[in-house]
């Protein structure tokens, strides 16, 4: 499935950057009344300063604003403070960017981001992102299917998994100086998951470049898995026959599994995964199996016990 | 009414200012893209800080001889309860919209929220009995009852630990901040052990 949105529907940036200003004015004017206002779902198109871009996911839910997407980031390489990532990543160099593709492939190589974009023209994909912390967003990415790159490098028949590695650059990523994490970030997918059409290498956001805080130069987006699987700032992709070690699995193996499929019936050991808060909404909503992509991906896990392979 | 001391003024300012700031940030939409979680986390951390400050009064008084400190213990503890109440209220109402099933799925089955709930339930009688007439009514038992804080504070420390993504046993993940809090609480409780107290008193009398 690929959500096709004509470019005429893309909202100019100034239109969606105004939400905070609008809220500030409303907050100061309305005072305590804002509490009551928050309890009702946002109206579809109330004001000229309406931050909604008109973009929706295939279920009809509106995309989150550019401001929310780029100012609420789980990116421990910079800081564990979600609001602090945007500031700390301001000067992070994402251009030029190179990705090495290596391992069990016939055509290994190191590719510049621009060459990748030329070879695999990005398309818009509006995906839900469900964080393991039980919040979620709807995000309009630009990117190309990972499968398209993999087909070009031709995995050998021995390749069973894809391993991804983020950039390690402690001089530009203060969080990487912390000794509590086994940097660099690494993630992995089974080859069939990696080849699935939903699995995206994202190079842009809201029609623009992919900002550093959202994972630029280039990042993975696997919409049916918890957000931590969607590794950011990728510099290395390696085809292998071994299940790759992943960062969060190394930190807490009983809490963060290799598969990490969104599943309301399989709790995190410390909290329930049955519900989530969509950023911008007040009440919780039910979490969907495979984050709402069950029809597309459940066949990948047909014979698996999802409580064991969490 | 007696004139308030500088420390007293400081304690009450410290108690109310964070709440004023929270309300201001809420009204100006400066509570992140996820305000409910931000309120939850901020009130929780404030409760922990005030609990810690109230625990620090007695040992600090022993160390420094500043006799006014223990008198402010109760107010600090009550501010701790204020923020703990806001924290619990946020969880039940703003976060879970009083949805009992959802709340049960978390509180009833997960040690993380269970510990938090236990700490709050234990803290509640301490706040209720902080009024002077209760002190009189309970006599010696008042002090006994309020020793519950020695149980509550470690519960809160573990609850905070579990709220962070990290693993205590292999010392990985987001654990620095919870470790510091746990260490401070352990220190403040250790300073209360009779043997430790005695040796501090001896040291002080020698120093004077």
């Amino acid at each position: 499935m690929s959500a096709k949105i004509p470019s005429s529907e893309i909202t100019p940036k100034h239109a969606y950057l105004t939400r905070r200003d609008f809220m500030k004015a409303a907050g100061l004017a309305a005072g305590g009344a804002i509490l009551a206002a928050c309890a009702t779902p946002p109206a579809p198109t109330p004001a000229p300063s309406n931050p909604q871009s008109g973009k929706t996911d295939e279920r009809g839910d509106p995309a989150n604003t550019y401001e929310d997407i780029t100012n609420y980031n789980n990116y421990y390489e910079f800081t564990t403070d979600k609001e602090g990532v945007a500031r700390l990543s301001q000067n992070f160099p994402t251009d030029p960017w190179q990705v090495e593709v290596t391992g069990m492939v016939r055509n290994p190589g190191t590719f510049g981001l621009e060459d990748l974009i030329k070879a695999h023209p990005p398309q818009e994909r509006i995906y839900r992102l469900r964080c393991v912390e039980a919040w979620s967003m709807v995000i309009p990415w630009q990117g190309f299917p990972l499968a398209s790159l993999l087909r070009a490098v031709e995995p050998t028949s021995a390749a069973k998994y894809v391993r991804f590695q983020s950039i390690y650059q402690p001089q530009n990523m203060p969080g990487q100086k912390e000794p509590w994490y086994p940097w660099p970030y690494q993630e992995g997918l089974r080859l069939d998951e990696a080849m699935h059409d939903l699995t995206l290498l994202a190079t842009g956001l809201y029609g623009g470049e992919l900002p550093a805080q959202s994972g630029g130069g280039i990042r993975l987006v696997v919409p049916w898995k918890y957000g931590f699987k969607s590794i950011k700032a990728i510099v290395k992709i390696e085809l292998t026959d071994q299940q790759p070690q992943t960062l969060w699995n190394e930190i807490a193996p009983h809490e963060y599994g290799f598969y990490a499929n969104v599943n309301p019936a399989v709790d995190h050991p410390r909290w329930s995964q049955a519900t989530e808060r969509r950023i911008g909404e007040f009440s919780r909503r039910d979490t969907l199996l495979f984050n709402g992509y069950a029809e597309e991906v459940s066949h990948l896990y047909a014979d698996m016990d999802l409580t064991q392979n969490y | 009414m007696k004139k308030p001391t500088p420390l007293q003024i400081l304690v009450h300012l410290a108690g109310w200012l964070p709440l004023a700031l929270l309300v201001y940030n809420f009204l100006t939409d400066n509570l992140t893209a996820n305000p409910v979680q931000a309120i939850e986390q901020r009130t929780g951390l404030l409760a922990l800080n005030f609990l810690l400050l109230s625990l620090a009064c007695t040992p600090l008084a022993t160390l420094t001889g500043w006799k006014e400190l223990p008198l402010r213990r109760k107010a600090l503890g009550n501010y701790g309860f204020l923020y703990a109440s806001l924290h619990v209220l946020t969880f039940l109402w703003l976060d879970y919209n009083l949805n009992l099933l959802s709340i049960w799925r978390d509180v009833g089955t997960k040690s993380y929220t269970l510990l938090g709930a236990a700490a709050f339930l234990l803290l509640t009688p301490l706040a209720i009995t902080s009024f002077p007439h209760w002190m009189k009514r309970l006599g010696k038992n008042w002090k006994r009852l309020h020793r519950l804080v020695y149980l509550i504070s470690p519960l809160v420390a573990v609850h905070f630990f579990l709220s962070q993504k990290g693993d205590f046993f292999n010392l990985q993940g987001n654990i620095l901040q919870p470790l510091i809090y746990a260490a401070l609480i352990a220190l403040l409780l250790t300073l209360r052990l009779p043997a430790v107290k005695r040796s501090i008193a001896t040291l002080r009398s020698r120093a004077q």
Side-chain angles (χ1 to χ4, degrees):
Chain A
M1 57 131 280
S2 64
K4 294 233 162 41
I5 304 276
S7 59
S8 61
E9 281 188 24
I10 294 174
T11 309
K13 265 194 186 110
H14 65 84
Y16 51 74
L17 285 175
T18 51
R19 174 177 171 263
R20 283 287 146 103
D21 300 336
F22 169 73
M23 284 298 290
K24 271 182 191 147
L28 288 169
I34 205 79
L35 181 65
C38 285
T40 56
T45 320
S49 58
N50 170 43
Q52 303 301 340
S53 59
K55 291 179 188 296
T56 61
D57 65 6
E58 83 286 359
R59 305 178 62 86
D61 286 322
N64 283 90
T65 62
Y66 184 83
E67 208 211 342
D68 278 351
I69 293 169
T70 55
N71 285 285
Y72 193 72
N73 310 101
N74 254 338
Y75 203 162
Y76 283 19
E77 281 88 336
F78 290 102
T79 167
T80 53
D81 168 21
K82 293 185 185 63
E83 288 249 299
V85 176
R87 189 176 52 81
L88 286 170
S89 64
Q90 252 174 48
N91 300 315
F92 180 73
T94 58
D95 185 29
W97 193 270
Q98 289 194 321
V99 184
E100 182 191 0
V101 186
T102 175
M104 298 173 160
V105 291
R106 288 199 183 82
N107 315 312
T110 299
F111 305 94
L113 184 56
E114 282 174 20
D115 299 330
L116 283 176
I117 289 174
K118 245 177 249 159
H120 313 279
Q123 29 182 294
E124 182 172 73
R125 298 280 183 99
I126 303 177
Y127 282 161
R128 292 173 289 287
L129 180 137
R130 167 61 156 83
C131 179
V132 74
E133 297 166 0
W135 55 267
S136 62
M137 287 193 188
V138 176
I139 303 178
W141 305 104
Q142 279 76 44
F144 54 89
L146 171 63
S148 158
L149 172 64
L150 292 181
R151 272 194 289 268
V153 296
E154 294 184 55
T156 66
S157 58
K160 298 280 178 291
Y161 294 92
V162 186
R163 178 181 171 272
F164 304 87
Q165 188 179 311
S166 291
I167 196 165
Y168 181 70
Q169 210 173 75
Q171 71 274 24
N172 288 319
M173 296 179 136
Q176 285 184 336
K177 290 181 188 139
E178 288 208 17
W180 317 101
Y181 304 87
W183 304 122
Y185 202 99
Q186 46 180 344
E187 258 305 336
L189 293 174
R190 229 168 48 193
L191 189 57
D192 58 342
E193 298 175 319
M195 292 298 291
H196 195 285
D197 180 60
L198 283 174
T199 305
L200 197 72
L201 280 175
T203 55
L205 175 68
Y206 255 113
E209 282 177 11
L210 187 62
Q213 67 265 39
S214 303
I218 189 168
R219 72 171 293 168
L220 184 71
V221 184
V222 194
W224 71 92
K225 293 176 180 283
Y226 292 118
F228 68 86
K229 292 294 289 183
S230 294
I231 182 171
K232 305 182 185 83
I234 300 170
V235 292
K236 189 173 174 185
I237 297 175
E238 184 183 0
L239 280 286
T240 152
D241 56 357
Q242 306 285 320
Q243 179 174 304
Q245 179 60 273
T246 68
L247 178 124
W248 279 107
N249 186 252
E250 200 175 332
I251 291 175
H254 52 290
E255 299 191 352
Y256 308 102
F258 175 78
Y259 286 96
N261 292 316
V262 176
N263 190 335
V266 178
D267 286 349
H268 185 280
R270 298 187 216 163
W271 56 83
S272 157
Q273 294 289 25
T275 62
E276 68 199 51
R277 170 164 295 99
R278 177 68 46 84
I279 297 302
E281 291 181 358
F282 207 70
S283 322
R284 285 176 174 259
R285 49 164 76 204
D286 287 338
T287 289
L288 305 169
L289 180 61
F290 297 116
N291 204 21
Y293 301 97
E295 217 172 284
E296 290 91 341
V297 301
S298 53
H299 68 272
L300 296 172
Y301 312 102
D303 308 319
M304 281 173 58
D305 179 349
L306 295 174
T307 52
Q308 289 305 307
N309 298 287
Y310 52 91
Chain B
M1 218 176 99
K2 263 202 303 192
K3 209 175 144 228
T5 67
L7 180 63
Q8 219 172 348
I9 294 170
L10 186 72
V11 164
H12 291 293
L13 275 179
W16 291 109
L17 269 180
L19 183 59
L21 186 68
L22 186 69
V23 172
Y24 175 76
N25 287 342
F26 178 78
L27 294 178
T28 53
D29 190 34
N30 267 316
L31 286 173
T32 82
N34 194 350
V36 175
Q37 197 183 50
I39 297 170
E40 217 163 55
Q41 290 174 347
R42 211 196 282 186
T43 51
L45 208 53
L46 281 165
L48 173 56
N49 279 321
F50 279 105
L51 202 62
L52 206 72
L53 285 173
S54 78
L55 269 181
C57 289
T58 308
L60 277 181
T62 320
L63 284 167
T64 63
W66 190 7
K67 292 203 175 62
E68 195 195 332
L69 277 172
L71 299 176
R72 307 298 158 234
R73 198 167 50 176
K74 206 168 72 179
L76 288 166
N78 280 339
Y79 283 119
F81 180 72
L82 169 71
Y83 289 105
S85 309
L86 291 173
H87 179 66
V88 170
L89 209 64
T90 308
F91 172 78
L92 295 177
W93 183 43
L94 295 185
D95 197 349
Y96 281 96
N97 203 15
L98 302 178
N99 180 329
L100 292 179
L101 177 67
S102 290
I103 291 167
W104 173 251
R105 274 197 297 235
D106 262 2
V107 186
T109 61
K110 301 283 180 281
S111 52
Y112 159 42
T113 28
L114 205 60
L115 285 173
F120 182 69
L121 289 179
L122 291 171
L123 193 60
T124 307
L126 307 200
I128 293 172
T129 57
S130 68
F131 295 100
H133 75 270
W134 270 105
M135 288 183 80
K136 266 190 224 130
R137 234 168 104 178
L138 290 172
K140 258 191 185 162
N141 287 329
W142 191 88
K143 213 166 179 179
R144 278 191 202 142
L145 177 68
H146 282 248
R147 285 202 182 117
L148 269 179
V149 77
Y150 304 152
L151 174 63
I152 294 167
S153 44
L155 287 180
V156 173
V158 178
H159 171 68
F160 181 51
F161 226 116
L162 292 174
S163 75
Q164 305 292 314
K165 272 197 291 192
D167 191 301
F168 177 69
F169 294 106
N170 54 28
L171 285 182
Q172 286 201 309
N174 198 9
I175 55 167
L176 187 60
Q177 202 188 9
L179 264 182
I180 292 171
Y181 276 106
L184 282 173
I185 286 174
L187 175 72
L188 293 174
L189 293 183
T190 311
L191 289 173
R192 288 178 154 77
L193 295 174
V196 179
K197 250 161 78 179
R198 268 196 303 275
S199 42
I200 293 172
T202 322
L203 281 176
R204 272 198 62 223
S205 58
R206 263 192 227 148
Q208 272 163 5

